[in-house]
């Protein structure tokens, strides 16, 4: 028997700058349509039939200064399922466009996200609270505006896992079952199924995307581009000063640098976003829209989890840096009319590759425990490492944790190949099948690496501590998340709670959770949801 939760009279404070200061549409018939000269449309969430809170993130609640008894109240469940609107809110869906898989797709917009408003916390920070899966909006096109449980679990767990890894991301406050059933064809192959609907409340300082600018430029609504850009600068980049031409260029530079930081951080932990369309790129450099993402298990730069991208591999792990640069070029095009000329933006874009390379090299130095990255030797060392990582299937996360155990005080020339490779054997998926040439190449690389470490002269413990701070032991492995989903679909939410908890300390050794750092089991290799995901969610 479930006991009825208590209502709460905790007062939430909102200051809805986005809807107050930018042009929008007032509520009309909630039907799919093209929305012109408006950054948003006012729309109300769908009534959930039987909301039931599965989990909330206490760290996000703290960020918003929500007291615990509010988070465990009936009122919380009602608000964050879309059942209860407060008079201080101003619910709306925002308008944006985007390039999808390299092609201009026109108007997209929040098709299944409804922003409740900007919550003001005790530090006077504005946090936009957004319900994902709370019903249709004018931007839903042919979609139903809903989200299923499996994709909502993936969004909730990954947002928070990324945050605790130290990677910029939108946050997830809560995951609530709506009680509604949702029809989905998971692989678009004619196998429709009714699934449980769910709503995730996301929080971010802003959800403005590259595509938020693109849509207005594409429609020649230049005044709206300017309003949105000025708004972004005034509220999210106030340190850049009052908007003018040089400020706009500084804004673009800031977006470039934060995007580079985000993508390099993905590369550090083996995260593949899966759908880096320009509508899924935040101008704050936050990881946003957790759809068919995945985590590298066997190291493979060409890997993409997204079945829609199986042919092109446009959004594969190794392409993410280039794609981010391409997306920034589309953002630059969108603001050319505001700057009045393309050249200064082109000059900033030309620096992208240099900044990306330098950020990537710093990241690799940290992963390898080097004091700093020195050209050209370390480039050669890393190129050689890339090669040996693809010789036989090797687990990326385990490899770097094991590499931290290498003893740099030995004379590697005195060690046999087998002795040198021994500490890494657990990282291989099929150690018994390692060929002689693979063993020789790997041992030779380790010899080079040890000599390189000896140049720095750090002691083993110090180096291991640094490396383990950059190489997570626990990531949201695709199969771990799928196990939590399978159990949740059968009504057991304990694994969601366990993963959420465990992933708060991804760099620590957690003895009780050793198995959560293990390689992907064979059953998960080709299992839907583990290695193959679609945009259907
Ligand atoms: P995505 O690439 O998944 O971020 O989605 C691209 C566009 O499709 C966005 O405008 C989404 O809001 C919209 N969309 C995705 N799923 C749905 C859905 N179930 N109902 C309505 N719109 C959706
Ligand atoms: Mg999206």
């Amino acid at each position: 028997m479930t006991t009825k939760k208590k209502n709460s009279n905790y007062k939430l404070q909102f200051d809805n700058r986005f809807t107050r200061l930018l042009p929008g549409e007032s509520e009309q018939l909630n039907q799919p349509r093209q929305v012109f000269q408006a950054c948003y449309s006012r729309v109300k969430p769908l009534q959930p039939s039987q909301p039931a809170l599965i989990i909330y993130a206490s760290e996000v609640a703290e960020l918003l200064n929500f007291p615990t008894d509010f988070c465990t109240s009936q009122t919380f469940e009602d608000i964050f399922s879309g059942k209860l609107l407060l008079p201080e809110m101003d619910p709306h869906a925002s308008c944006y466009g985007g390039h999808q898989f390299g092609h201009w797709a026109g108007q997209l917009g929040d098709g299944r996200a409804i922003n409740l408003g900007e919550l003001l916390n005790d530090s006077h920070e504005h946090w936009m609270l957004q319900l994902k899966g709370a019903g249709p909006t004018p931007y839903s096109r042919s979609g139903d505006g809903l989200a299923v449980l499996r994709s909502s679990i993936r969004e909730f767990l990954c947002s928070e896992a990324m945050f605790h890894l130290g990677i910029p991301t939108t946050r997830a406050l809560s995951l609530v079952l709506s009680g509604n059933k949702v029809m989905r064809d998971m692989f678009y192959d004619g196998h429709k199924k009714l699934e449980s609907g769910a709503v995730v409340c996301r929080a971010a300082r802003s959800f403005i995307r590259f595509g938020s600018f693109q849509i207005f430029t594409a429609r020649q609504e230049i005044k709206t581009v300017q309003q949105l850009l000025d708004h972004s600068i005034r509220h999210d980049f106030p340190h850049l000063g009052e908007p003018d031409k040089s400020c706009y260029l500084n804004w673009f530079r800031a977006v470039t640098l934060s995007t580079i930081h985000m993508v390099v951080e993905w590369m550090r932990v083996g995260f593949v976003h899966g759908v880096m369309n320009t509508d899924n790129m935040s101008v704050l450099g936050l990881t946003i829209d957790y759809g068919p993402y995945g985590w590298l298990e066997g190291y493979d730069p060409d890997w993409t989890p997204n079945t829609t991208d199986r042919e092109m591999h446009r959004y594969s792990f190794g392409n993410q840096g280039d794609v981010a640069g391409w997306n920034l070029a589309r953002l630059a095009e969108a603001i050319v009319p505001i700057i009045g000329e393309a050249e200064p933006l082109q000059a900033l874009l030309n620096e992208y590759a240099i900044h990306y390379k330098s950020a990537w090299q710093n990241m690799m130095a940290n992963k390898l425990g080097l004091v700093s990255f020195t050209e050209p030797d370390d480039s050669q060392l890393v190129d050689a490492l890339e090669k040996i990582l693809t010789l036989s299937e090797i687990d990326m996360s385990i490899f770097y944790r094991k590499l931290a155990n290498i003893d740099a005080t030995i004379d590697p020339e005195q060690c046999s190949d087998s002795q040198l490779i021994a500490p890494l054997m657990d990282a291989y998926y099929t150690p018994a099948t390692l060929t002689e040439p693979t063993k020789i190449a790997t041992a030779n690389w380790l010899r080079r690496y040890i000599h390189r470490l000896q140049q720095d002269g750090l002691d083993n413990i110090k180096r291991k501590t640094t490396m383990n701070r950059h190489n997570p032991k626990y990531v949201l492995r695709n199969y771990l998340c799928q196990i939590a989903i399978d159990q949740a679909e059968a009504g057991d939410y304990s694994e969601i709670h366990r993963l959420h908890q465990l992933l708060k300390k991804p760099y620590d050794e957690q003895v009780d959770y050793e198995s959560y750092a293990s390689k992907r089991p064979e059953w998960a290799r080709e299992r839907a949801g583990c290695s193959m995901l679609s945009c259907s969610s």
Side-chain angles (χ1 to χ4, degrees), residues 4 23 38 40 62 73 95 144 178 197 227 237 243 283 318 330 340 354 378 400 412 416 427 443 447 484 517:
K4 180 94 178 83
Y40 61 88
E62 272 167 36
S73 70
C95 180
D144 54 13
S178 65
Q227 285 174 304
F237 298 81
V283 295
R330 305 290 78 74
I354 302 162
D378 291 340
Y400 281 103
S416 70
R447 288 189 183 94

Side-chain angles (χ1 to χ4, degrees), residues 96 100-101 107-113 132 135-137 139-147 182 184 209 275 277 279-280 289-292 535-537:
Y96 53 79
Q100 297 188 314
F101 297 94
Q107 178 183 297
L108 297 165
D110 289 328
R112 49 144 168 200
K132 186 164 174 180
T137 76
Y139 309 96
S140 296
R141 296 176 291 160
S142 56
D144 54 13
L146 303 174
V182 179
R184 283 292 180 272
R209 300 142 190 267
V275 214
N277 293 332
D279 52 304
N280 291 337
D289 284 8
Y290 292 91
C535 293
S536 160
S537 54

